[in-house]
Amino acid sequence: LSAALQVVLFGSLPLSAQATGDPLEPVTINEIKIVGNHLVSTDKIISVMRVRKGDLYSRDKVMDDLKAINRIGCFDDRKLDINPVLTDGGVVLTIKVVENPVIKRFVYKGNTKIADKDLAHLFDGQVGLPQNIDSLSKAIDEVDYWYHSRGYVLAKVADVKDRPDGTTQIVIDEGKLSAVEITGLEPTDK
């Protein structure tokens, strides 16, 4: 690899370039490509990025942009990747994303105090979109709040199960009390 490309990709000078003092020119970003997105628009992805076409390449800014893309919440963070390619005129950044599985429907199990239609009101905005952990967590928090505000302090969403057919099952444990035991009670004289 050339010294300039090593700086672009890895953020540090190779020892040979440091020793010889070769001048390294900044590299301009000529193009930004987003690949792998189907439901999340390219515009949405680019809107969270700081780097733009025409900017000087900065490894730190690109890494920050990868983190910002991950915070959208719709992508598999283990497969988020960037491939900077040095061309004659600068760098072409190709950002590869893999969307989380699409939620086709929600089903609910264990709920007897809240109707399915009321639960659906909390979750249905996510149907047809890639699973977004933040949105799912917020809806789960709202379910927990619904129960707790009505005195069901033991109730909680106990599990979330993703099925291969795109169904997400929300399992609710309403926290039924099985027994009350009072110990240490001594009879008193009246």
Side-chain angles (χ1 to χ4, degrees), residues 10 12 14-15 22 24-26 45 54 62-63 66 76-77 99 102-103 106 111 113 136 152 158-159 165 178 180 189:
F10 307 112
S12 63
L15 290 176
D22 292 341
L24 298 174
E25 294 187 23
I45 296 168
V62 170
M63 295 308 292
L66 285 178
D76 183 337
D77 62 346
E99 292 177 345
V102 174
I103 297 174
F106 284 94
N111 54 307
K113 304 298 180 194
L136 192 56
Y152 299 99
D159 198 8
D165 68 355
S178 61
V180 175
D189 294 329

Side-chain angles (χ1 to χ4, degrees), residues 88-138:
D88 288 337
V91 172
V92 174
L93 295 179
T94 302
I95 298 171
K96 180 183 174 193
V97 298
V98 176
E99 292 177 345
N100 290 333
V102 174
I103 297 174
K104 295 185 179 172
R105 71 186 185 116
F106 284 94
V107 295
Y108 312 99
K109 181 179 177 186
N111 54 307
T112 62
K113 304 298 180 194
I114 183 173
D116 284 0
K117 66 179 178 72
D118 294 326
L119 287 168
H121 174 71
L122 300 173
F123 290 93
D124 278 350
Q126 300 175 54
V127 174
L129 300 174
Q131 187 179 71
N132 182 313
I133 301 305
D134 292 334
S135 297
L136 192 56
S137 293
K138 286 176 186 172

Side-chain angles (χ1 to χ4, degrees), residues 9 18 24 26-27 30 35 48 52 64-66 69 81 94-95 105 114 127 129 140 154-155 164 168 178 180 183:
L9 295 177
Q18 291 174 349
L24 298 174
V27 181
N30 284 349
V35 297
V48 302
R52 298 283 184 251
D64 288 344
D65 283 347
L66 285 178
I69 292 168
D81 191 29
T94 302
I95 298 171
R105 71 186 185 116
I114 183 173
V127 174
L129 300 174
I140 288 168
L154 299 176
T168 299
S178 61
V180 175
T183 60

Side-chain angles (χ1 to χ4, degrees), residues 20-103:
T20 62
D22 292 341
L24 298 174
E25 294 187 23
V27 181
T28 302
I29 298 171
N30 284 349
E31 185 178 359
I32 299 172
K33 298 178 184 178
I34 309 292
V35 297
N37 56 314
H38 303 285
L39 295 172
V40 179
S41 73
T42 298
D43 289 342
K44 177 161 178 82
I45 296 168
I46 289 178
S47 75
V48 302
M49 297 174 58
R50 290 183 14 207
V51 297
R52 298 283 184 251
K53 180 180 175 180
D55 289 353
L56 294 179
Y57 181 90
S58 163
R59 180 182 178 277
D60 291 339
K61 284 183 182 177
V62 170
M63 295 308 292
D64 288 344
D65 283 347
L66 285 178
K67 291 174 188 172
I69 292 168
N70 190 48
R71 282 192 298 270
I72 293 172
C74 295
F75 306 110
D76 183 337
D77 62 346
R78 297 164 298 169
K79 296 180 182 174
L80 192 59
D81 191 29
I82 187 158
N83 184 23
V85 175
L86 188 60
T87 64
D88 288 337
V91 172
V92 174
L93 295 179
T94 302
I95 298 171
K96 180 183 174 193
V97 298
V98 176
E99 292 177 345
N100 290 333
V102 174
I103 297 174

